[in-house]
Amino acid sequence: GWLSEVEDEINLTLNNSNWDETIQEFYIDAGGFGTGFVMTEEDIQERVRFTALNISEMLIVEDARGRVTEVYRLFEYTAQQGVERFGSKAGKEANDAVAAEKFSKKIQYLHAIFTRDVREIGKKDGINMPVASVWIVVKTKDIISEGGFREFPVAVGRFNKRTAEPWGFSPAMDSLADARMLQAQSRI
């Protein structure tokens, strides 16, 4: 029936994506640091693309109910990656570096994803989606892309979580003090 067809389609999509390797990175982060991130985006070649996001690049904000409603990612792309992702809109610094064949020059970007409070609900374009996605070149503060998502695209998993704290904690954190003491003893 219909449910079986949907199940087959979901399995086909996941099998033809990078889900397996991404979820492994997520488990390592959630188990080691207590918090892990997986972003889901549409992809021309694979239909859907999953990206495990580095915890050191992330800032999260929760609403009163403990749901993550804002994610800010501060990270670097090479000039080549910036131009591959955004084309000529990647920013002057990225375009100039690629033109000068300095493909590996690092450029800092901020990707802000947040619930959009003001929008025209009847419109279906990117800037009227319920969840905003804004890309900014940090050095120049230029907005290079503004769009949106129908649903929040970043899954934020916390191994364990305390009330009123957005970040999770893991069993690895319980043994951190002992591990540091053993390392100090081995140095001595």
Side-chain angles (χ1 to χ4, degrees), residues 8-9 13 52 72 75 86 113 121 126 146 162 174 176 185:
D8 290 344
E9 193 65 30
T13 300
Y72 300 91
F75 70 105
F86 301 108
I113 301 169
I121 294 174
E146 186 172 3
R162 293 183 181 100
D174 294 336
L176 187 59
Q185 286 176 344

Side-chain angles (χ1 to χ4, degrees), residues 1-9:
W2 180 79
L3 287 177
S4 179
E5 290 176 27
V6 171
E7 179 184 13
D8 290 344
E9 193 65 30

Side-chain angles (χ1 to χ4, degrees), residues 8-136:
D8 290 344
E9 193 65 30
I10 290 170
N11 287 329
L12 178 67
T13 300
L14 290 176
N15 288 336
N16 291 324
S17 73
N18 64 329
W19 171 253
D20 291 337
E21 53 267 27
T22 303
I23 200 64
Q24 293 302 318
E25 292 177 45
F26 168 81
Y27 287 143
I28 290 169
D29 286 348
F33 304 116
T35 306
F37 301 88
V38 174
M39 182 160 177
T40 306
E41 297 178 278
E42 289 183 29
D43 187 83
I44 294 169
Q45 295 173 337
E46 299 172 340
R47 290 169 67 177
V48 66
R49 177 118 190 113
F50 301 98
T51 306
L53 304 175
N54 188 329
I55 191 172
S56 68
E57 301 171 344
M58 305 301 293
L59 172 73
I60 57 177
V61 177
E62 290 181 330
D63 65 9
R65 296 165 74 189
R67 296 175 303 183
V68 174
T69 57
E70 298 177 37
V71 171
Y72 300 91
R73 179 179 176 216
L74 182 65
F75 70 105
E76 292 179 332
Y77 267 159
T78 63
Q80 172 101 20
Q81 290 170 321
V83 170
E84 283 175 2
R85 174 123 195 182
F86 301 108
S88 62
K89 295 179 181 180
K92 182 175 177 8
E93 188 178 9
N95 288 311
D96 289 351
V98 168
E101 297 186 9
K102 296 180 181 176
F103 303 109
S104 60
K105 180 179 180 175
K106 299 286 186 178
I107 298 164
Q108 198 171 44
Y109 290 91
L110 173 67
H111 186 194
I113 301 169
F114 52 92
T115 304
R116 185 177 273 130
D117 295 326
V118 179
R119 65 188 178 101
E120 292 184 46
I121 294 174
K123 290 191 174 181
K124 301 290 183 193
D125 58 341
I127 61 170
N128 285 296
M129 292 287 183
V131 179
S133 173
V134 181
W135 291 80
I136 300 167

Side-chain angles (χ1 to χ4, degrees), residues 62 66 161-167:
E62 290 181 330
K161 185 180 170 311
R162 293 183 181 100
T163 304
E165 290 184 16
W167 296 95

